[in-house]
Amino acid sequence: MARLYVGNLNSSITKQRLTDTFLKHGPIADVWYNSDKCYAFVEFEEPADAQTAIRQLNKSRLLGLELKVELSKYKRSGSPVSPARRTRRVTDPILPQNRQRQSPPPIIRRA
């Protein structure tokens, strides 16, 4: 399987229209579409079909906008998450590698 990133989509495009556009290039396993951000991921069953779709659809126009179609850089693990929203583990140079920073104890107020 090969997964494509499709960017610069018109916000009025439907998932069905997107599926129909890419289905012309081969069998599709899945389509994930984010209408708010105007991008999608299209997963082809065969990598050769994905390459054909890239050649045919990248920089083509769909509903008035020029598409950006390329191989996805992210592995599938449920819904795609933008790199900015991924959590990152922060390490403390003072602590040994096998220990993680703990939250400070709660403040106890005396009445």
Side-chain angles (χ1 to χ4, degrees):
M1 290 202 193
R3 190 167 190 211
L4 301 181
Y5 164 81
V6 184
N8 200 33
L9 290 171
N10 189 310
S11 60
S12 66
I13 194 167
T14 62
K15 187 175 178 179
Q16 186 60 48
R17 174 77 186 263
L18 191 61
T19 301
D20 292 344
T21 300
F22 280 85
L23 198 55
K24 297 173 186 173
H25 302 285
I28 293 175
D30 191 23
V31 175
W32 186 90
Y33 174 56
N34 184 327
S35 59
D36 295 334
K37 303 283 186 179
C38 300
Y39 70 92
F41 290 94
V42 178
E43 191 168 16
F44 279 89
E45 292 180 8
E46 297 295 327
D49 295 335
Q51 290 296 333
T52 301
I54 292 171
R55 283 192 304 276
Q56 296 292 318
L57 296 174
N58 189 39
K59 296 187 179 182
S60 68
R61 295 188 82 75
L62 182 62
L63 297 179
L65 294 176
E66 185 177 284
L67 295 180
K68 179 178 181 179
V69 182
E70 61 187 28
L71 280 174
S72 174
K73 298 175 183 163
Y74 302 104
K75 301 264 186 217
R76 182 173 183 174
S77 60
S79 296
V81 176
S82 71
R85 291 186 59 200
R86 293 178 191 257
T87 57
R88 294 191 176 112
R89 182 176 169 196
V90 178
T91 56
D92 189 331
I94 297 172
L95 293 175
Q97 290 296 328
N98 60 351
R99 290 203 42 202
Q100 294 182 5
R101 182 181 293 261
Q102 296 178 347
S103 298
I107 298 174
I108 300 173
R109 296 181 186 232
R110 296 180 191 236

